[in-house]
Amino acid sequence: MPRSQRSTPFTRHTAVELRKEPTPAESRLWSYIRNDQLGVAFRRQHAIGPFIADFCCVEKKLILELDGSQHLEQAAYDAERTAFLESQDYRVLRFWNNEVLNELEGVM
């Protein structure tokens, strides 16, 4: 029996495109969590259902989201997204971009 897909081809394609141009905050955090530096593997721009997680540790079911100022205006969308991801048994941690850029030790 074929394996079910975790997301749509469009979502997977969008995730690939997002990986090509990370934000400064995404680049900074990625440099600290890539290559199992924390003892677990993270994926960047990982498609889950109709959504794309900024960083995802599938093994620990943990998602790290980095939010910029646009998230102030999309609280309802973010709540829906978080509810979906939590329904898939993921824990979602959100950080502001400026936290990653200016207080990375606290984020880590």
Side-chain angles (χ1 to χ4, degrees):
M1 176 164 34
R3 191 176 109 196
S4 66
Q5 296 294 314
R6 62 178 162 76
S7 62
T8 66
F10 175 77
T11 305
R12 288 191 305 277
H13 173 74
T14 302
V16 169
E17 292 301 311
L18 287 170
R19 282 184 215 116
K20 293 178 183 177
E21 294 188 40
T23 67
E26 289 171 345
S27 292
R28 180 126 194 246
L29 183 59
W30 184 239
S31 71
Y32 281 80
I33 65 174
R34 67 185 299 173
N35 298 328
D36 296 338
Q37 291 181 71
L38 298 178
V40 293
F42 277 90
R43 298 176 184 179
R44 237 174 6 115
Q45 303 300 339
H46 181 66
I48 302 170
F51 300 106
I52 300 169
D54 290 336
F55 300 97
C56 179
C57 176
V58 175
E59 175 189 351
K60 299 292 183 180
K61 301 289 270 189
L62 176 66
I63 291 173
L64 305 178
E65 285 294 309
L66 304 186
D67 295 342
S69 59
Q70 75 277 10
H71 289 268
L72 294 171
E73 299 166 4
Q74 62 182 47
Y77 172 80
D78 285 345
E80 173 189 342
R81 190 170 182 274
T82 297
F84 173 82
L85 295 169
E86 288 175 344
S87 77
Q88 303 299 303
D89 296 324
Y90 283 93
R91 179 170 182 212
V92 179
L93 299 178
R94 293 186 167 279
F95 299 97
W96 290 104
N97 286 343
N98 66 339
E99 289 179 292
V100 172
L101 294 172
N102 302 316
E103 305 167 26
L104 186 58
E105 288 181 22
V107 170
M108 296 308 290

